[in-house]
Amino acid sequence: MSHIGTKTAGDAPLASCHSKSLDDESAEVKMIGNTEATTRSTATEGLRLRGNMGVGSLVMSVLAFASPLATVAGTMPVLIMFSGEAAPGIYIIMTIMLLIFSVGFVKMSRSIENPGGFYSFVTVGLGKVTGLGGAFLAYVGYLLIGFFAPAFFAVTLQGFVANTLHGPDIPWYWYALAITAVTTFLAYYRIDLSAKVLTTAMFLEVVIVVVFDVVSFATSGGRVAHGIGFSMPWLTDAGLGMALLFAIGNFFGFEATVIFRDEVKSPERTIPRATYLAVAGIGVFYVIAAWGYVAFLGADRAQQAAQADAVGLFYNSAAQLIGKVFADVVSVLLLTSVLASMLSIQNIAARYSFSLASDGALPRLLGRVHKRHRSPYVSATAVGVLWGLAVIVLAVLGISPDVIYPIASGSGTFNVLVLMFVVSLAVLVYFLRRRRTKPEPLWNTVIAPAISIVFLGVVTYLAIDNYPELIAGSMLMTVIFMAFTVAVFVGGVLYALYLRKKRPEVYAKLGRTRV
């Protein structure tokens, strides 16, 4: 599902606070990263994360984050509401742009062989101070994005139980706590168990959407007068900004390909293949699904239909095309789609806190590895506990779940979007610096990252400009959550400066380096 509802790009503005140059820090990171991993942090008790994920399992983990059925049923109608028949074209543009982003991303993953994801990339590119700020931004962002799921799951299941099953009216927070308990149980164990659950869920979701697509195109002959083709968007289109924001959130999660480096087979081959397959596969899937909507509704009527019934557009279209039984199956699989998405996000967030704890930036307890499952079981449990406590607090305060999930997903998406912009800058700076001694292909190391900076910079600007719509909140909520995002990043920066001065041994390890 689309989880929607800058910061100065580097340490240069903080130069007066630095006692080391970025080159010095880069050299230090490289030295530590190449140290033999026989004296690893005692926080992991000498153990490393382990798994047996291949390309397919890794791609499914990324696809689960995107929550394809929830996206097609929940977010895609909103995108069509803004863009109409141009929706498939917007997905084409987004796929191309993120494939270009992936060029630098994959090149960086081959150069920085650490499982810290964006945290490691920003650290080696822009320095440890910015890297820790980025890590905090990512961790909080994923926590917020993941928290969309308990509330959304609760609202969806409440409606299904009451309207379809005619069952009892159970308070939403019991459903929310139940799904949190299930994902925490799965995240506690070896990543292979999560991969099997996610693969099964993704297979069923994809089948449902493909059936909808096939029937949409097969029955569109009678609507030729209304047009079954799509158009490419133009810069002057009224809803283009919001459409781009909703579309980019549909692709989040492919950072998982490097986050799980220690838990995949042959990472040097698996990570690049999984990254490109995930981005391209998600893109093609969404292009065809959006086109299926246009084919069924008619090109000249798609936007109007979405504006009239964005919430029920997929369910009602599926019921009309295939039958109510099929639509009810969609409702059930929508619940498993949300669960799979939440599990994928929980696994990523847990590995962020594990990485930070292994480096000494968070309590050492969070850096423990389960002796049998080789999972970051304490960090995974901690994420579940945080979500559970948040559900309880919001329930006590009487806040409706309908308010919670757009704010959680929108603000979390903004965090990760800003971080992706910073990552593109870090990749470019890193390879420009390396070109002094080790020239590499311009496309991979300069041109593609530069294009990504421009593209993600534009989308980030759109996110700032349209933030109230992004979180479906008031101007007051906009100010609060944008200030919170800035505070998270600045807090990470200040904490890094504190560590450099007071705990240099911890500071030296920042960036998810192995010691």
Side-chain angles (χ1 to χ4, degrees), residues 27-40:
E28 184 180 26
V29 168
K30 183 177 180 181
M31 177 187 68
I32 296 174
N34 291 334
T35 301
E36 186 66 31
T38 57
T39 57
R40 296 183 184 91

PDB file of all heavy atoms in Angstrom, residues 27-40:
ATOM      1  N   ALA A  27      37.791   7.554   5.119  1.00  0.00           N
ATOM      2  CA  ALA A  27      38.918   6.634   5.280  1.00  0.00           C
ATOM      3  C   ALA A  27      38.759   5.803   6.541  1.00  0.00           C
ATOM      4  O   ALA A  27      39.050   4.607   6.552  1.00  0.00           O
ATOM      5  CB  ALA A  27      40.222   7.428   5.337  1.00  0.00           C
ATOM      6  N   GLU A  28      38.240   6.463   7.592  1.00  0.00           N
ATOM      7  CA  GLU A  28      38.058   5.740   8.856  1.00  0.00           C
ATOM      8  C   GLU A  28      36.984   4.662   8.712  1.00  0.00           C
ATOM      9  O   GLU A  28      37.138   3.536   9.188  1.00  0.00           O
ATOM     10  CB  GLU A  28      37.652   6.727   9.948  1.00  0.00           C
ATOM     11  CG  GLU A  28      37.527   6.088  11.317  1.00  0.00           C
ATOM     12  CD  GLU A  28      37.118   7.122  12.360  1.00  0.00           C
ATOM     13  OE1 GLU A  28      36.482   8.124  12.000  1.00  0.00           O
ATOM     14  OE2 GLU A  28      37.438   6.911  13.521  1.00  0.00           O
ATOM     15  N   VAL A  29      35.878   5.018   8.013  1.00  0.00           N
ATOM     16  CA  VAL A  29      34.817   4.042   7.785  1.00  0.00           C
ATOM     17  C   VAL A  29      35.337   2.859   6.980  1.00  0.00           C
ATOM     18  O   VAL A  29      35.061   1.699   7.289  1.00  0.00           O
ATOM     19  CB  VAL A  29      33.624   4.703   7.050  1.00  0.00           C
ATOM     20  CG1 VAL A  29      32.651   3.645   6.562  1.00  0.00           C
ATOM     21  CG2 VAL A  29      32.921   5.675   7.981  1.00  0.00           C
ATOM     22  N   LYS A  30      36.127   3.157   5.937  1.00  0.00           N
ATOM     23  CA  LYS A  30      36.663   2.082   5.108  1.00  0.00           C
ATOM     24  C   LYS A  30      37.580   1.176   5.910  1.00  0.00           C
ATOM     25  O   LYS A  30      37.536  -0.045   5.790  1.00  0.00           O
ATOM     26  CB  LYS A  30      37.428   2.704   3.928  1.00  0.00           C
ATOM     27  CG  LYS A  30      37.976   1.668   2.952  1.00  0.00           C
ATOM     28  CD  LYS A  30      38.657   2.350   1.782  1.00  0.00           C
ATOM     29  CE  LYS A  30      39.209   1.306   0.813  1.00  0.00           C
ATOM     30  NZ  LYS A  30      39.897   1.949  -0.330  1.00  0.00           N
ATOM     31  N   MET A  31      38.408   1.791   6.773  1.00  0.00           N
ATOM     32  CA  MET A  31      39.333   0.998   7.588  1.00  0.00           C
ATOM     33  C   MET A  31      38.567   0.073   8.516  1.00  0.00           C
ATOM     34  O   MET A  31      38.854  -1.123   8.614  1.00  0.00           O
ATOM     35  CB  MET A  31      40.221   1.937   8.400  1.00  0.00           C
ATOM     36  CG  MET A  31      41.177   1.207   9.352  1.00  0.00           C
ATOM     37  SD  MET A  31      42.051   2.371  10.416  1.00  0.00           S
ATOM     38  CE  MET A  31      40.712   2.960  11.432  1.00  0.00           C
ATOM     39  N   ILE A  32      37.517   0.612   9.153  1.00  0.00           N
ATOM     40  CA  ILE A  32      36.749  -0.210  10.095  1.00  0.00           C
ATOM     41  C   ILE A  32      35.961  -1.277   9.358  1.00  0.00           C
ATOM     42  O   ILE A  32      35.858  -2.416   9.786  1.00  0.00           O
ATOM     43  CB  ILE A  32      35.797   0.673  10.924  1.00  0.00           C
ATOM     44  CG1 ILE A  32      36.608   1.644  11.774  1.00  0.00           C
ATOM     45  CG2 ILE A  32      34.903  -0.168  11.814  1.00  0.00           C
ATOM     46  CD1 ILE A  32      35.752   2.658  12.514  1.00  0.00           C
ATOM     47  N   GLY A  33      35.386  -0.885   8.171  1.00  0.00           N
ATOM     48  CA  GLY A  33      34.580  -1.842   7.429  1.00  0.00           C
ATOM     49  C   GLY A  33      35.388  -3.020   6.945  1.00  0.00           C
ATOM     50  O   GLY A  33      34.854  -4.109   6.741  1.00  0.00           O
ATOM     51  N   ASN A  34      36.694  -2.835   6.733  1.00  0.00           N
ATOM     52  CA  ASN A  34      37.527  -3.918   6.239  1.00  0.00           C
ATOM     53  C   ASN A  34      38.173  -4.731   7.349  1.00  0.00           C
ATOM     54  O   ASN A  34      38.918  -5.670   7.093  1.00  0.00           O
ATOM     55  CB  ASN A  34      38.636  -3.354   5.342  1.00  0.00           C
ATOM     56  CG  ASN A  34      38.063  -2.818   4.045  1.00  0.00           C
ATOM     57  OD1 ASN A  34      37.014  -3.264   3.611  1.00  0.00           O
ATOM     58  ND2 ASN A  34      38.740  -1.844   3.438  1.00  0.00           N
ATOM     59  N   THR A  35      37.928  -4.345   8.591  1.00  0.00           N
ATOM     60  CA  THR A  35      38.502  -5.089   9.712  1.00  0.00           C
ATOM     61  C   THR A  35      37.910  -6.483   9.782  1.00  0.00           C
ATOM     62  O   THR A  35      36.721  -6.663   9.564  1.00  0.00           O
ATOM     63  CB  THR A  35      38.204  -4.356  11.043  1.00  0.00           C
ATOM     64  OG1 THR A  35      38.773  -3.054  10.970  1.00  0.00           O
ATOM     65  CG2 THR A  35      38.815  -5.110  12.223  1.00  0.00           C
ATOM     66  N   GLU A  36      38.720  -7.473  10.072  1.00  0.00           N
ATOM     67  CA  GLU A  36      38.236  -8.855  10.171  1.00  0.00           C
ATOM     68  C   GLU A  36      37.161  -8.947  11.240  1.00  0.00           C
ATOM     69  O   GLU A  36      37.309  -8.410  12.332  1.00  0.00           O
ATOM     70  CB  GLU A  36      39.400  -9.784  10.542  1.00  0.00           C
ATOM     71  CG  GLU A  36      39.013 -11.264  10.535  1.00  0.00           C
ATOM     72  CD  GLU A  36      38.676 -11.730   9.150  1.00  0.00           C
ATOM     73  OE1 GLU A  36      39.239 -11.210   8.184  1.00  0.00           O
ATOM     74  OE2 GLU A  36      37.831 -12.628   9.045  1.00  0.00           O
ATOM     75  N   ALA A  37      36.037  -9.641  10.907  1.00  0.00           N
ATOM     76  CA  ALA A  37      34.858  -9.631  11.783  1.00  0.00           C
ATOM     77  C   ALA A  37      34.950 -10.679  12.881  1.00  0.00           C
ATOM     78  O   ALA A  37      33.996 -11.395  13.157  1.00  0.00           O
ATOM     79  CB  ALA A  37      33.603  -9.866  10.946  1.00  0.00           C
ATOM     80  N   THR A  38      36.108 -10.772  13.524  1.00  0.00           N
ATOM     81  CA  THR A  38      36.246 -11.740  14.603  1.00  0.00           C
ATOM     82  C   THR A  38      36.098 -11.114  15.966  1.00  0.00           C
ATOM     83  O   THR A  38      36.068 -11.826  16.971  1.00  0.00           O
ATOM     84  CB  THR A  38      37.628 -12.425  14.525  1.00  0.00           C
ATOM     85  OG1 THR A  38      38.639 -11.409  14.567  1.00  0.00           O
ATOM     86  CG2 THR A  38      37.759 -13.226  13.237  1.00  0.00           C
ATOM     87  N   THR A  39      36.034  -9.793  15.997  1.00  0.00           N
ATOM     88  CA  THR A  39      35.882  -9.112  17.281  1.00  0.00           C
ATOM     89  C   THR A  39      34.628  -8.260  17.275  1.00  0.00           C
ATOM     90  O   THR A  39      34.642  -7.093  17.604  1.00  0.00           O
ATOM     91  CB  THR A  39      37.107  -8.222  17.558  1.00  0.00           C
ATOM     92  OG1 THR A  39      37.262  -7.290  16.484  1.00  0.00           O
ATOM     93  CG2 THR A  39      38.360  -9.059  17.715  1.00  0.00           C
ATOM     94  N   ARG A  40      33.551  -8.845  16.813  1.00  0.00           N
ATOM     95  CA  ARG A  40      32.303  -8.104  16.703  1.00  0.00           C
ATOM     96  C   ARG A  40      31.773  -7.700  18.067  1.00  0.00           C
ATOM     97  O   ARG A  40      32.140  -8.255  19.085  1.00  0.00           O
ATOM     98  CB  ARG A  40      31.248  -8.943  15.969  1.00  0.00           C
ATOM     99  CG  ARG A  40      31.644  -9.246  14.533  1.00  0.00           C
ATOM    100  CD  ARG A  40      30.546 -10.018  13.828  1.00  0.00           C
ATOM    101  NE  ARG A  40      30.991 -10.373  12.501  1.00  0.00           N
ATOM    102  CZ  ARG A  40      31.605 -11.499  12.203  1.00  0.00           C
ATOM    103  NH1 ARG A  40      31.848 -12.395  13.142  1.00  0.00           N
ATOM    104  NH2 ARG A  40      31.985 -11.754  10.979  1.00  0.00           N
TER     105      ARG A  40
END
